[in-house]
Amino acid sequence: MSDDARILLLVGDEFLVRERARQLADARVPESMQSLNLVVLDGPGTDARQIAQHLAQVPMFRGAKVVLVHDTTLLAGQKDLADLLEKARKQVEDGKLGPATRRVLGVLASAGWSIADLTEANKARFKKELGVDRDVFGKPFFQRIREHAEEQEWRVPESETEALERLIADPPGENGLILTAEAADKKHPLYRKIEEVGAVEVHRAQQRGRDIETLDISAVRDGILKEHGKRLTPGAERLLKRAIGSELRLLATELEKLCLFAGERPQVTEEDIRELGISQVREEAFWELGSAVTAGDAARALYFLGDALDHRHAPLQILGGIASAVRNALQVRALGERAGLSGRLREMPPELVAEVGALRGRKPHPFALLKEWERASSWPDLAALQLALEACARTDLELKGDGGSPRLALEALVFRIAGLARPPRRRAAPAARR
């Protein structure tokens, strides 16, 4: 590790790098001196000039001074800008307009844009310089960000880092700098300078396979369990990962709750998760179920169906997710056939992406739509997809009726749709004996 480096860049998952930064800051600046010798800055809203000013100031009292900058976008490369904008979009959806606006301002700084460019730049410039399809986000998103920035009188941070690069080569006194970032371009001059005079650490939760259960949460799990003197059963860990996914900050919060809920008991169990009512928040949950259903993969669909039921999602809500996936597949298949498409495609035609967006009220990501087409085009014909949608309607009536098992009804639907998507091949008749 790099505990002795005075200049340090921590890159990776927000929760992990913040925890590591806090540990380093606590180790370098005693708690009694932190009000004077620890400067904490909001990265997206802070430019290199401001960081350099704080780093250049020698503390009033002897001892180490640390400037800690959270979530800086100074080192973001063009390939990172689309991901940062997507995170900002999700923040707006969660009601976090302020943090989202600061994140977007950081993106603008990296790209050399002004606030006005958010609403005035054309679609081609968005694609070329930010790497995003403007219409996927929608003009109202960028308009809202601009209006909030102007209301708060926030400006785009300066992106020039030369002065900071010179300062970190020889910071005054015992001053030190810790930067945290979700993404950093290794070719950025500031990144190279930090590698030269300090250290770079990468902190990300590792996932060995496609399934969320292969996610390594030990960096979050072990410290919390040790603090509370608890163990987490394998079944409970599996349920927790399937519910929360890779949102490590939320996972840490829920694990804290579970440890307190367990009381004097030495371990946290699956039943604790169910009784505490930890709901499934992973966006991928119903998407995975719908994708498996429309791909005709009954085994995988049953797995995700059981997972949703175990997390106490309402049967009608689950059915709605399945029906929506089938409806989307029918829509894409019909539009694709009308446009003369067939078989596997390298990319979806822009006009078809726009048409689907007009029907759904929001333009889909072209790659996601391409995957939808691949699943939908593998069905025998449109009639099979229509029969699948009718099967969803019959299951809806069954679930709303009296009696019967919702689990069995949904499992039967999964098998019915899988049979329509992948009808069994007829065996060739045996040759007649002469």
Side-chain angles (χ1 to χ4, degrees), residues 392-424:
C392 290
R394 288 194 296 272
T395 303
D396 180 70
L397 293 175
E398 186 177 348
L399 291 176
K400 291 176 180 176
D402 296 328
S405 165
R407 183 180 291 267
L408 290 178
L410 290 169
E411 288 177 348
L413 175 64
V414 166
F415 281 115
R416 172 63 174 155
I417 295 177
L420 291 167
R422 299 283 186 272

Side-chain angles (χ1 to χ4, degrees), residues 37-344:
N37 287 7
L38 177 61
V39 179
V40 181
L41 302 174
D42 170 45
T46 307
D47 58 37
R49 177 183 52 80
Q50 293 169 307
I51 297 172
Q53 286 175 349
H54 285 288
L55 187 58
Q57 292 172 356
V58 178
M60 293 179 61
F61 300 96
R62 295 183 62 182
K65 173 185 175 181
V66 170
V67 178
L68 172 55
V69 186
H70 283 305
D71 306 323
T72 182
T73 55
L74 284 175
L75 298 99
Q78 187 179 37
K79 62 182 180 60
D80 304 314
L81 301 184
D83 289 338
L84 292 171
L85 284 174
E86 178 60 24
K87 287 183 172 69
R89 185 186 65 77
K90 291 180 179 179
Q91 285 180 312
V92 170
E93 291 178 352
D94 292 338
K96 301 174 181 177
L97 181 57
T101 302
R102 287 196 173 276
R103 188 184 296 274
V104 174
L105 292 178
V107 170
L108 298 181
S110 297
W113 282 32
S114 67
I115 294 178
D117 288 331
L118 273 180
T119 54
E120 295 174 8
N122 60 30
K123 184 176 179 179
R125 190 178 171 201
F126 265 88
K127 188 66 176 178
K128 181 179 179 181
E129 298 181 21
L130 299 185
V132 299
D133 185 337
R134 184 191 62 188
D135 294 345
V136 170
F137 289 84
K139 290 184 178 180
F141 167 77
F142 295 111
Q143 183 65 43
R144 192 175 181 189
I145 293 291
R146 178 178 176 177
E147 289 174 355
H148 188 70
E150 292 175 343
E151 286 171 5
Q152 300 298 319
E153 297 184 351
W154 290 342
R155 61 180 180 79
V156 176
E158 296 179 12
S159 58
E160 182 55 61
T161 63
E162 286 186 9
L164 180 58
E165 292 167 35
R166 289 194 298 270
L167 184 59
I168 64 176
D170 186 23
E174 299 179 58
N175 289 6
L177 173 66
I178 302 174
L179 299 170
T180 77
E182 293 182 64
D185 183 359
K186 293 182 179 180
K187 297 180 181 179
H188 195 287
L190 183 57
Y191 188 103
R192 292 176 174 174
K193 178 57 69 173
I194 293 173
E195 272 194 319
E196 177 187 336
V197 303
V200 177
E201 292 182 6
V202 178
H203 297 270
R204 290 192 175 92
Q206 299 298 314
Q207 187 169 329
R208 298 186 302 276
R210 294 179 61 187
D211 197 285
I212 195 65
E213 290 181 16
T214 66
L215 178 72
D216 180 9
I217 62 171
S218 58
V220 176
R221 177 198 63 207
D222 294 350
I224 294 174
L225 293 178
K226 182 178 180 181
E227 180 182 347
H228 290 274
K230 304 290 184 189
R231 298 189 306 274
L232 186 65
T233 66
E237 179 168 329
R238 182 167 55 251
L239 273 183
L240 195 60
K241 286 194 283 191
R242 294 218 63 79
I244 308 299
S246 59
E247 294 287 338
L248 298 186
R249 180 171 296 281
L250 180 58
L251 192 146
T253 300
E254 298 297 343
L255 193 51
E256 287 275 4
K257 291 181 187 176
L258 286 165
C259 288
L260 294 173
F261 182 76
E264 299 299 320
R265 289 185 284 109
Q267 63 182 14
V268 175
T269 67
E270 296 173 64
E271 192 57 33
D272 290 324
I273 292 176
R274 295 190 178 98
E275 287 188 23
L276 195 57
I278 294 178
S279 60
Q280 192 151 4
V281 298
R282 282 197 310 129
E283 293 181 357
E284 303 97 317
F286 284 169
W287 179 86
E288 288 169 332
L289 174 58
S291 296
V293 165
T294 53
D297 189 341
R300 190 166 176 80
L302 288 174
Y303 176 82
F304 291 121
L305 171 61
D307 190 58
L309 290 169
D310 286 343
H311 282 91
R312 299 183 180 181
H313 282 290
L316 285 173
Q317 184 185 14
I318 297 171
L319 174 61
I322 294 174
S324 177
V326 173
R327 191 178 300 109
N328 286 345
L330 178 60
Q331 180 189 72
V332 171
R333 177 70 179 266
L335 292 174
E337 287 190 358
R338 192 179 71 185
L341 304 181
S342 63
R344 296 183 68 87

